[in-house]
Amino acid sequence: MEDKSPMTMKDIAREFGVSVATVSRALKDSPRISEQRRREIQQFAREHNFYPNAIGEALRHSRVMPQRVIGVIVPEFTHYYFSSILTGIEESAAARGYRIMVALSGEQYEREARICENFLRYKVCGVIVSQAKDTKNYDHYQKLIDAGIPIVFYDRICTGVYASRVVVDDYMGAYNAVSHLIETGCKRIAFYGGPLQLEISKNRFNGYKDALLKHGLPIDDAIIGICDNRADAEQLTPKLMALEMPPDGFFAVNDDTAIGILYTVKHSGYRVPEDISICGFTNGQRAVACDPMLTTVEQRGHRVGEEAAEILMDKVEGLSPLEKVEKRVVRTRLVIRGTTK
């Protein structure tokens, strides 16, 4: 069986027949080492996913013992959902003696890849991540796995690598929400979702589509849009309301988008929910700060964070095999308020 133990400076020193001090200087690009030898050692280190332990170096002469650190990647902080997940991760981690190192990808693949490189360098014990919207290459995740670092995906999972994940039941959440809109009188329901290459977006779209089919309503591409934030909702909604057959209901991928719809239709003279019904997805603080208050699907982000942290820490501590993929689904709940009948 192949040895998956992380490479050390001693291993590199043995490979080149030099001292550990020489390897350390080469990796720090010291001019005391010849340029050719520096290049050789640095290339070998990259090829074998070796990164100097920056935390260890910083604490080498400190009396403070290094803590077990979990790397967490968040796509953005604007959504209540991500902050609630982060709270769940942090509380579970702290209860078992771990700290978290949080990084923001800003929905950018390049930034996400750099964060994973840094997590390798800092030798985190594991990574919890929700992938950026435009991530289509998964080599940076595979590098972590190859280095023996467990990964747990949450919310936006990556189907391109074999790793554990925690998600909410996006399909049933969307299905129940759209069914509620239909059962309260809506016959033409628009769908605002994220990019369909994301598993979360596909699941919510399939829930929307199946609810329409189950109730005998047609699927119309004219009222289906890639729209997952308030600004875009305020741009797209007037175009849909100007159609010959405008929607009488909206299902949005998150509360922020739903509130953009609410703001726009109200300022266009429509009554909510008498003329237009609206349902979001999150149940964050904004859902009760609008008028009328928003009907939405509760995602239970805190629970998602707890589950992700527990899976990861069990793998780090050997309570669950690294190669075993855990798939957990957190149930959603429809919260009915004033934007639906």
Side-chain angles (χ1 to χ4, degrees):
M1 187 174 176
E2 186 181 354
D3 183 10
K4 288 288 186 181
S5 300
M7 178 163 286
T8 66
M9 283 196 193
K10 285 184 181 178
D11 297 326
I12 301 175
R14 192 179 304 116
E15 177 72 22
F16 287 92
V18 298
S19 69
V20 171
T22 297
V23 172
S24 177
R25 292 188 186 108
L27 293 174
K28 292 176 181 175
D29 221 22
S30 169
R32 294 175 62 182
I33 310 300
S34 72
E35 184 179 349
Q36 181 178 347
R37 180 48 60 94
R38 271 183 278 160
R39 281 204 308 266
E40 290 171 349
I41 291 175
Q42 289 170 4
Q43 181 177 348
F44 182 85
R46 281 194 302 271
E47 289 172 354
H48 292 80
N49 294 324
F50 175 82
Y51 296 85
N53 190 343
I55 290 178
E57 289 181 9
L59 296 174
R60 193 177 305 279
H61 304 294
S62 171
R63 294 182 181 179
V64 180
M65 289 298 292
Q67 296 292 319
R68 292 175 289 182
V69 179
I70 297 170
V72 182
I73 304 179
V74 181
E76 54 185 332
F77 284 127
T78 55
H79 288 307
Y80 167 82
Y81 182 54
F82 289 124
S83 63
S84 63
I85 289 174
L86 195 57
T87 301
I89 293 171
E90 200 282 329
E91 289 178 358
S92 291
R96 285 173 63 171
Y98 290 77
R99 292 184 180 181
I100 64 172
M101 179 187 294
V102 183
L104 180 68
S105 71
E107 301 287 16
Q108 298 170 30
Y109 160 74
E110 293 83 2
R111 195 165 168 181
E112 181 181 88
R114 285 198 302 272
I115 291 167
C116 287
E117 292 280 341
N118 286 333
F119 282 167
L120 269 169
R121 178 171 177 262
Y122 283 100
K123 297 193 183 297
V124 297
C125 63
V127 173
I128 300 174
V129 56
S130 179
Q131 75 173 50
K133 288 178 189 173
D134 65 349
T135 295
K136 299 182 181 70
N137 183 308
Y138 313 118
D139 291 350
H140 52 301
Y141 296 142
Q142 194 60 50
K143 273 188 179 181
L144 291 169
I145 294 169
D146 291 345
I149 298 173
I151 300 180
V152 178
F153 287 94
Y154 68 91
D155 191 52
R156 299 184 198 148
I157 64 172
C158 174
T159 56
V161 294
Y162 194 59
S164 297
R165 70 277 311 264
V166 181
V167 296
V168 298
D169 195 343
D170 293 299
Y171 173 87
M172 283 307 301
Y175 181 90
N176 290 335
V178 176
S179 294
H180 168 69
L181 289 169
I182 296 167
E183 289 160 6
T184 52
C186 295
K187 298 188 181 303
R188 189 162 166 77
I189 301 165
F191 173 86
Y192 285 7
L196 289 179
Q197 78 264 17
L198 296 174
E199 197 72 11
I200 180 176
S201 300
K202 284 189 286 189
N203 289 338
R204 291 182 191 177
F205 178 69
N206 287 335
Y208 160 83
K209 182 176 64 175
D210 287 353
L212 294 181
L213 294 174
K214 174 73 174 177
H215 292 85
L217 295 180
I219 298 165
D220 186 352
D221 290 342
I223 55 173
I224 295 171
I226 302 301
C227 175
D228 61 2
N229 59 72
R230 177 171 179 164
D232 287 351
E234 291 179 7
Q235 291 289 319
L236 180 59
T237 303
K239 297 175 184 176
L240 266 58
M241 297 309 299
L243 293 172
E244 186 175 341
M245 294 178 62
D248 57 4
F250 287 84
F251 171 67
V253 70
N254 56 48
D255 288 354
D256 191 46
T257 304
I259 291 168
I261 298 166
L262 174 62
Y263 174 87
T264 304
V265 297
K266 280 180 66 179
H267 279 73
S268 299
Y270 294 96
R271 298 170 301 164
V272 178
E274 292 84 359
D275 303 323
I276 305 288
S277 291
I278 302 166
C279 183
F281 208 114
T282 301
N283 196 31
Q285 295 168 341
R286 296 177 187 178
V288 294
C290 54
D291 182 29
M293 290 191 287
L294 186 67
T295 293
T296 186
V297 179
E298 184 175 23
Q299 287 183 276
R300 299 175 64 204
H302 191 277
R303 185 63 187 155
V304 171
E306 289 177 334
E307 293 274 0
E310 292 297 328
I311 291 173
L312 188 77
M313 291 183 293
D314 283 352
K315 290 189 179 299
V316 170
E317 295 171 17
L319 301 175
S320 172
L322 273 178
E323 63 275 11
K324 181 184 178 184
V325 168
E326 299 265 0
K327 299 177 182 178
R328 296 188 191 175
V329 179
V330 175
R331 290 185 179 179
T332 58
R333 180 174 70 97
L334 182 64
V335 180
I336 298 171
R337 297 195 182 99
T339 57
T340 57
K341 297 171 188 172

